Amino acid sequence: MAGEASIPRYDPAAVETKWQERWERARTYEVRAGDGEPVYVLEMFPYPSGRIHMGHVRNYSIGDVIARFRRLRGERVLHPIGWDAFGLPAENAAIQHGAHPARWTYDNIANMRAQLRRLGFSYDWSRELATCDPRYYRWEQLFFLRMLERGLAYKGRSQVNWCESCATVLANEQVVDGRCWRCDSVVRLRELEQWFFRITAYAEELLRDLDRLTGWPERVVTMQRNWIGRSEGAEIRFPLDGRPGEITAFTTRPDTLFGVTFVSIAPEHPLARELVAGTERAAAVEALAERARLSARDEELVKEGVPTGAFCRHPLTGERVPIFVANFVVMGYGTGAVMGVPAHDQRDFEFARALGLPIMVVIQPEGAPLDPATMTEAWEGPGRMVRSGEFDGLPSEEGKRRVVAALAARGAGRAAMTYRLRDWGVSRQRYWGAPIPVVYCEGCGLVPVPESDLPVLLPEDVVLTGAGGSPLAGHAGFVEVACPRCRGRARRETDTFDTFVESSWYFARYVSPWDDGTPFDRRELDYWLGTRGVDQYIGGIEHAVLHLLYARFFTKVLRDLGYVALDEPFRNLLTQGMVIKDGAKMSKSKGNVVDPDYLIERYGADTARLFCLFAAPPERDLDWSDQGVEGMSRFLGRLWRLVWTVRDRLAPPGAPLPGTMDETARTLHRRTHETIQRVTEDVGERLRFNTAIAAVMELVGAIADVQDDVDPAVLREAVDTVLRLLAPFVPHVAAELWEVAGHPDWIDRAGWPACDTSALVRERIELPVQVNGKLRGRILVAVDASVDDILAAALADENVRAHVGERPVRKHVLVPGRMLNLVV
RNA sequence: GCCGGGAUGGCGGAACUGGCAGUCGCAGCGGACUUAAAAUCCGCGGCGGGGCAACCCGCGUGGGGGUUCGAAUCCCUCUCCCGGCACCA
C-alpha cells in the first residue's frame, strides 16, 4: 500500500475541537419557530453539582442521537439545555467553604457547560436557562399568584419531618432510617404551617390520563398509578355515644359493616386527645402517639392500642362500639379512622387478638364455614353476607352497593374515593430557592405580592451559618416591607419553593427563555409544544414518580390558567438505566466513578459517546468496561484508516451507480441498503442504538473486505452511507471523514440516507431445511422457486435424505424465505 | 405482603410478529508483521463426541410441565436477582 505512510493519525482532540468551533461559529444547531415538521427532543436538565458524570454522558448521548437523527431527516429540531440551579448542595457548600451559593452555582455551570461542549452535543445554546435566574423564577412566582387566586396553592398545617438540632424541615428523601441525613439526630414529626399545591384536585385526571401515555414505559405508568393509589369505597359516620360529634371512617369493604366490633383512630387524630382528656388514659394515649412518632419507618410495628373508654354507635344497628387509639392507623390516609372488622381484615384481626376483642364473621366464603374460635387469620376474600340483617345472603360485591345505599338513605355515609396521593408540600426553610411571593401584614393578614412587584428577588447579601431556620429570616431588608394593601408594617414570607417546582415547567420555558414580557412567546409555544408536548423526553428512572408526576400536574395547572394548550407535557418518554461499575451504581461514595474528562482526553468524545450507546440498550443498566471503551476506540481508528485508504479509489461524490454490477458490487450495494434499513428502524422507531451501531460495524467490515476490488461508485455509496449513518452517534469523526472523502458541504446538511428497496432483492436464497423440527440441511433456491422445486431440492440434499429415510413425508411447512420443515 | 422488570457462551449483549440460537463488541487462543514489544492485520471459537477435512451426531436460552410441524419467544408452575410501594383501611 503506497498510500499508507501518508495517512494521518486519528487525533480525536484535533478533530473534535475543529468541528465544535465550526458548529458554534455557524450556529448550526440554533433554531426558531418556522416551517416544517417541529420536533422537540429534551433530556432532563442537570443539577450543577460541579462536574458531569457518566450518567449525564449517557443521558445526553441518547438525546443527541435522536436530535441529530431527526434533524438529518429534515425535521426542525428543538434541542435545548439548561440548569436546575436552585437547591441545598449550593447552600451546604456555602456553609462549609464560605463561597456564596450563587457564585458556587454559576462557577459549576461554567465548568459543566464546557464539559458538555467538549462532548459535542447539538444543543441550541441560545436557549440556555438557569432556574436561579430571576428572569426564570419570576414566572414561577406569577403562576403561584394565579394558583393562589384559584385555591390551587394554600397554606395549611401538616405533619412534617423536623430535625431538632438543625431546626429545619426535611424532605422525606432527607430522612434516612428515621434520622437526619446531616446531623444524624432522630427526626420527629411535627405539625407546622406549610405551603401546599393542591395536586389532589387533579388526582383523578392524573390517573385517567395515564391511559393516554402510550409512549411511556409501562413500569413508569404503573408506578404513578400506584403512587396516586385510588381506592373506591365508602365513608361511614359513627355518631359518638352520649356526646355530640362523630367519627368518619373510610372503608373499601362496606359489606363487612355488620362485623364491626370496634373503631380505631390514629394517635394524631383530633379526637384522640379529646376523648381521653382529663382521664387516667390520657398519658397512655400520649405515650402511644410518641412511640408511633419515633418509630423508624421500615420496621413492622406490633399492633398496640389504648381504649379511650368512649363509645360510638353503629350507624345501622345502633349498637355501642368501643373506640380505640391504635398505632397502626395513619392519619395521612383516608380519614385517619378505621372501622374494626377483625374477621375480615388482617390488621384488625391481629389487633383484636392482641387486645382480646370479639371477632364476628359476617362474610361466609364458599366451602367450609368460618369459625371465629378457630380462625388463624382474617378472611379477606369474597363470600355471602351473614348476620347482616336484611342483607343476609347477598354476595359481597352487591352487598357493598346495598349497604352504601342504605347508609346514604339515612345520612350515615356515602360512596367515597380516596387517594394515597397527598397535596404537594412546596415550602422550604432554605435560602437558595425561589422566594414565595406573599407577605404577612399585621392588619390584613396574608397578602399576595402584587403582580407588578414581581419578581421578588432573592437577596444576595445573606449570612449562611448552618445554624438552622431560614437564613432569609435574619435579613431585615428582605423581611420588613410595607403591606401592599394598607401600607402598614408587614413581614415577607421567608420560605422558598421546593426545587421540584422549577423543574415542573422548565420544558415550556425553553420555547422563549429570552422573553421578559411573557412566560412563553405565543408563536414559539404553539410551534414547539402546541398540543403535542415534548416529542421525546429522556432521563433517569429515579424520577418516575416525583418529577414526572409534578410536571404532569403543573402542565394541567398551566393549561387551566390559560398559559398552555397541553394536557400532558411529555408524549414519549425514554427512561435510561443506571451506569454500573464493579456491580454497583457508579457514584462518588462507592469510589467507582470514571471521569468523563479523562475519557475525552484519552479517547475523545466520540469514543465516550459510542461506548455509552453501544454497551447496552438505553433503558437497561449499562455495565462499565474499560476494555469495551478500547474496542470503540479501535473501531473508530479502523474507520479512519479505511476512509483515508479508499479515498483515492472513490468515484466523485454523487457519481451515478453503474448500470450493471458484478457479484461483488451487487452484494456491497445490497448490504449498504440493508444497513440503511436496519439503522433507520433501530434509531427512528425502536430506539435501539446498540444494534444500530452493530449493523454499521458489519457494513464497515464488508467494505474493508472488498475495498480494492469493488466498483468505485458502489464503494463511494457504501462509504458515504457509513458516515451518514454514524453522524448522529459520532458527529465529529463523521464530519471530518465526510470532508476527507471529498464532500465540499458539511455532513450536517447531507440528510439521512434512503433505503432503495430494489437493492434488497436477491436472486437466490439459502433456505434452512428441518426434518421433524430439527435443522438437517440448507439448500440454495431461487427466490421465486415453486413449492415443488423447493421440496425436490430439499429431498436432493444428502443429509436431509438420510434423516427422512424410507418414511413418507406426511406434511411440510414452508415459511417463504425463512425455512422448510418436513414432517415424517 | 402488593406491583413492575429481569435470568441467553468466559463477559456486555443479538435474535423485530413463534421459524437457522449466539449479530456486534470485549476477553481468550493460534498465526502474520517486528530484533523485541506496542499498534495493526488474518484465522478459530456454546458444551460434549466423531472425522485429515468439508462436515456429521448429541445436548443447550434459570428449573419442571404444556401448546405447536416448530418455543429464548406463547401458557401453567417453581427458583433466584433487581426496582418501586407498603400497617393505605
Side-chain angles (χ1 to χ4, degrees):
Chain A
M1 285 286 166
E4 253 181 42
S6 62
I7 293 181
R9 191 177 57 91
Y10 170 41
D11 176 3
V15 170
E16 287 167 10
T17 311
K18 169 181 165 181
W19 285 96
Q20 282 160 18
E21 280 170 4
R22 284 190 175 183
W23 291 328
E24 203 166 318
R25 225 176 304 125
R27 300 169 175 260
T28 309
Y29 307 117
E30 289 185 23
V31 66
R32 293 293 179 268
D35 306 321
E37 209 49 46
V39 178
Y40 188 171
V41 178
L42 181 67
E43 299 108 58
M44 290 180 184
F45 66 168
Y47 177 78
S49 57
R51 309 188 63 72
I52 61 166
H53 52 69
M54 285 322 293
H56 290 126
V57 177
R58 186 177 192 202
N59 191 176
Y60 304 147
S61 294
I62 293 167
D64 203 45
V65 170
I66 298 170
R68 285 179 180 272
F69 167 72
R70 304 198 68 161
R71 214 179 276 121
L72 287 169
R73 269 217 311 213
E75 292 164 315
R76 215 174 173 86
V77 177
L78 174 62
H79 189 216
I81 188 73
W83 309 95
D84 189 12
F86 273 137
L88 203 56
E91 218 164 313
N92 289 342
I95 293 161
Q96 283 163 27
H97 309 301
H100 191 277
R103 178 69 195 278
W104 184 87
T105 301
Y106 280 108
D107 283 352
N108 286 347
I109 288 176
N111 275 333
M112 293 172 72
R113 184 192 295 124
Q115 288 184 297
L116 294 185
R117 282 179 192 268
R118 278 200 294 280
L119 281 158
F121 298 129
S122 61
Y123 294 127
D124 178 351
W125 286 99
S126 74
R127 293 175 188 261
E128 181 183 359
L129 61 79
T131 57
C132 62
D133 184 341
R135 291 178 67 192
Y136 181 82
Y137 67 70
R138 62 176 298 174
W139 302 114
E140 188 165 303
Q141 293 175 336
L142 176 67
F143 301 147
F144 171 80
L145 293 178
R146 296 268 193 271
M147 291 171 75
L148 197 58
E149 282 165 16
R150 299 217 178 186
L152 291 173
Y154 66 93
K155 201 165 192 193
R157 298 188 76 82
S158 91
Q159 300 267 336
V160 293
N161 301 305
W162 181 259
C163 173
E164 204 67 58
S165 79
C166 299
T168 186
V169 167
L170 297 175
N172 285 343
E173 299 79 28
Q174 289 152 2
V175 180
V176 181
D177 294 334
R179 290 171 179 275
C180 174
W181 69 311
R182 192 156 41 175
C183 69
D184 210 37
S185 54
V186 172
V187 171
R188 305 165 62 98
L189 288 175
R190 193 170 147 179
E191 201 165 287
L192 282 178
E193 286 240 287
Q194 297 286 311
W195 283 99
F196 290 91
F197 284 168
R198 206 178 292 282
I199 191 171
T200 52
Y202 286 84
E204 192 55 44
E205 193 191 343
L206 287 167
L207 188 69
R208 178 164 38 84
D209 284 355
L210 285 172
D211 293 335
R212 290 168 41 192
L213 296 177
T214 50
W216 282 38
E218 188 55 39
R219 63 174 173 153
V220 176
V221 170
T222 304
M223 279 164 79
Q224 291 213 357
R225 188 171 285 129
N226 291 343
W227 184 267
I228 295 167
R230 179 173 114 141
S231 38
E232 246 172 284
E235 277 180 13
I236 301 178
R237 296 154 69 173
F238 293 81
L240 298 181
D241 182 43
R243 59 200 296 175
E246 62 187 14
I247 292 175
T248 304
F250 176 79
T251 181
T252 55
R253 294 294 303 273
D255 55 315
T256 65
L257 180 58
F258 287 83
V260 168
T261 57
F262 60 93
V263 163
S264 43
I265 60 178
E268 306 87 23
H269 195 285
L271 270 178
R273 216 158 291 184
E274 204 180 309
L275 290 177
V276 295
T279 73
E280 69 279 9
R281 302 180 201 267
V285 168
E286 195 52 50
L288 187 76
E290 182 69 11
R291 276 203 302 280
R293 252 197 303 260
L294 289 179
S295 71
R297 296 156 167 276
D298 51 350
E299 82 190 53
E300 190 160 329
L301 287 185
V302 175
K303 303 276 180 298
E304 279 188 282
V306 176
T308 60
F311 290 81
C312 55
R313 292 272 175 190
H314 191 284
L316 293 184
T317 67
E319 272 177 59
R320 265 161 54 103
V321 179
I323 303 169
F324 289 79
V325 177
N327 64 345
F328 67 91
V329 181
V330 294
M331 194 57 217
Y333 184 78
T335 58
V338 184
M339 64 182 209
V341 186
H344 306 294
D345 180 283
Q346 187 57 27
R347 290 153 305 182
D348 294 342
F349 183 85
E350 289 166 30
F351 188 74
R353 278 282 153 89
L355 278 83
L357 300 168
I359 295 171
M360 187 150 52
V361 170
V362 293
I363 298 290
Q364 216 34 281
E366 300 281 325
L370 297 173
D371 177 4
T374 57
M375 284 170 79
T376 54
E377 56 180 15
W379 171 255
E380 294 184 339
R384 285 189 183 271
M385 292 175 71
V386 294
R387 304 170 64 167
S388 298
E390 54 180 303
F391 303 98
D392 279 356
L394 291 179
S396 357
E397 274 315 303
E398 192 187 344
K400 285 180 187 177
R401 286 190 296 275
R402 296 277 292 273
V403 169
V404 171
L407 287 166
R410 282 171 221 217
R414 60 185 182 91
M417 206 75 78
T418 196
Y419 298 88
R420 213 190 67 93
L421 183 71
R422 296 163 69 180
D423 278 340
W424 175 14
V426 292
S427 48
R428 297 287 181 269
Q429 293 69 53
R430 289 181 195 145
Y431 165 68
W432 193 235
I436 298 174
V438 297
V439 301
Y440 302 99
C441 170
E442 288 173 8
C444 316
L446 194 151
V447 181
V449 172
E451 214 180 295
S452 54
D453 290 354
L454 295 183
V456 175
L457 289 174
L458 184 67
E460 300 223 339
D461 51 336
V462 163
V463 184
L464 297 166
T465 60
S470 172
L472 286 172
H475 191 290
F478 178 79
V479 172
E480 291 164 18
V481 286
C483 170
R485 202 169 283 164
C486 72
R487 294 284 123 202
R489 277 163 54 106
R491 291 178 57 81
R492 210 180 269 289
E493 172 64 76
T494 57
D495 283 0
T496 54
F497 283 122
D498 179 3
T499 58
F500 276 106
V501 180
E502 283 91 63
S503 56
S504 292
W505 65 282
Y506 76 108
F507 63 93
R509 180 63 182 171
Y510 278 134
V511 305
S512 58
W514 52 74
D515 192 338
D516 290 323
T518 56
F520 315 116
D521 175 89
R522 198 76 247 167
R523 189 172 127 81
E524 295 280 335
L525 181 73
D526 288 349
Y527 186 71
W528 295 117
L529 282 172
T531 55
R532 311 184 323 277
V534 172
D535 295 282
Q536 183 66 61
Y537 196 37
I538 307 136
I541 184 75
E542 67 272 19
H543 294 293
V545 173
L546 290 170
H547 160 61
L548 289 168
L549 187 65
Y550 294 151
R552 294 183 61 220
F553 160 66
F554 221 88
T555 300
K556 292 173 191 299
V557 170
L558 289 177
R559 175 201 61 197
D560 291 346
L561 295 175
Y563 288 106
V564 300
L566 289 171
D567 291 320
E568 287 288 337
F570 313 120
R571 258 165 85 84
N572 295 293
L573 174 69
L574 178 62
T575 50
Q576 106 254 2
M578 295 183 300
V579 180
I580 305 285
K581 187 165 185 266
D582 311 325
K585 180 180 176 167
M586 221 183 241
S587 74
K588 227 183 279 183
S589 60
K590 297 245 169 50
N592 60 352
V593 291
V594 173
D595 180 17
D597 273 351
Y598 162 81
L599 268 188
I600 295 169
E601 203 179 302
R602 172 140 184 208
Y603 298 101
D606 283 333
T607 293
R609 296 168 55 127
L610 195 61
F611 176 74
C612 285
L613 295 162
F614 178 74
E619 66 280 0
R620 274 221 233 172
D621 287 351
L622 182 155
D623 233 4
W624 190 264
S625 152
D626 291 331
Q627 291 101 330
V629 177
E630 292 275 358
M632 294 304 103
S633 179
R634 275 200 288 270
F635 168 69
L636 292 182
R638 218 153 39 228
L639 177 72
W640 177 270
R641 286 187 301 275
L642 175 70
V643 175
W644 275 98
T645 307
V646 301
R647 73 181 207 152
D648 294 332
R649 276 212 74 227
L650 296 174
L657 292 167
T660 55
M661 296 183 201
D662 60 17
E663 182 69 28
T664 309
R666 213 164 44 235
T667 303
L668 184 62
H669 180 58
R670 193 191 71 232
R671 296 198 61 170
T672 299
H673 286 271
E674 280 172 353
T675 308
I676 292 171
Q677 189 179 45
R678 281 171 67 186
V679 174
T680 303
E681 200 183 306
D682 281 351
V683 177
E685 279 139 59
R686 303 203 310 146
L687 302 179
R688 297 292 286 261
F689 311 117
N690 52 333
T691 49
I693 294 165
V696 179
M697 285 174 167
E698 283 182 69
L699 181 57
V700 169
I703 296 172
D705 288 343
V706 299
Q707 53 176 303
D708 297 325
D709 313 313
V710 76
D711 174 86
V714 174
L715 183 62
R716 157 65 69 186
E717 180 192 47
V719 169
D720 281 1
T721 298
V722 162
L723 297 176
R724 290 159 84 191
L725 294 179
L726 281 176
F729 302 92
V730 286
H732 313 88
V733 71
E736 179 68 14
L737 291 174
W738 186 254
E739 200 172 77
V740 169
H743 292 277
D745 202 4
W746 294 1
I747 199 169
D748 294 272
R749 291 187 275 266
W752 189 252
C755 170
D756 175 4
T757 46
S758 69
L760 304 178
V761 177
R762 293 163 187 257
E763 285 164 10
R764 288 182 302 170
I765 50 162
E766 199 185 59
L767 194 71
V769 180
Q770 300 177 341
V771 178
N772 286 344
K774 281 193 191 296
L775 180 71
R776 296 301 180 192
R778 296 185 175 84
I779 53 174
L780 208 56
V781 292
V783 187
D784 53 358
S786 69
V787 178
D788 289 340
D789 289 348
I790 291 173
L791 281 175
L795 288 169
D797 183 274
E798 202 179 317
N799 200 47
V800 170
R801 211 167 41 217
H803 282 91
V804 172
E806 295 306 310
R807 299 171 289 182
V809 176
R810 258 190 18 233
K811 173 181 174 183
H812 65 264
V813 181
L814 177 67
V815 183
R818 305 292 312 215
M819 61 103 232
L820 170 70
N821 189 16
L822 302 175
V823 186
V824 298

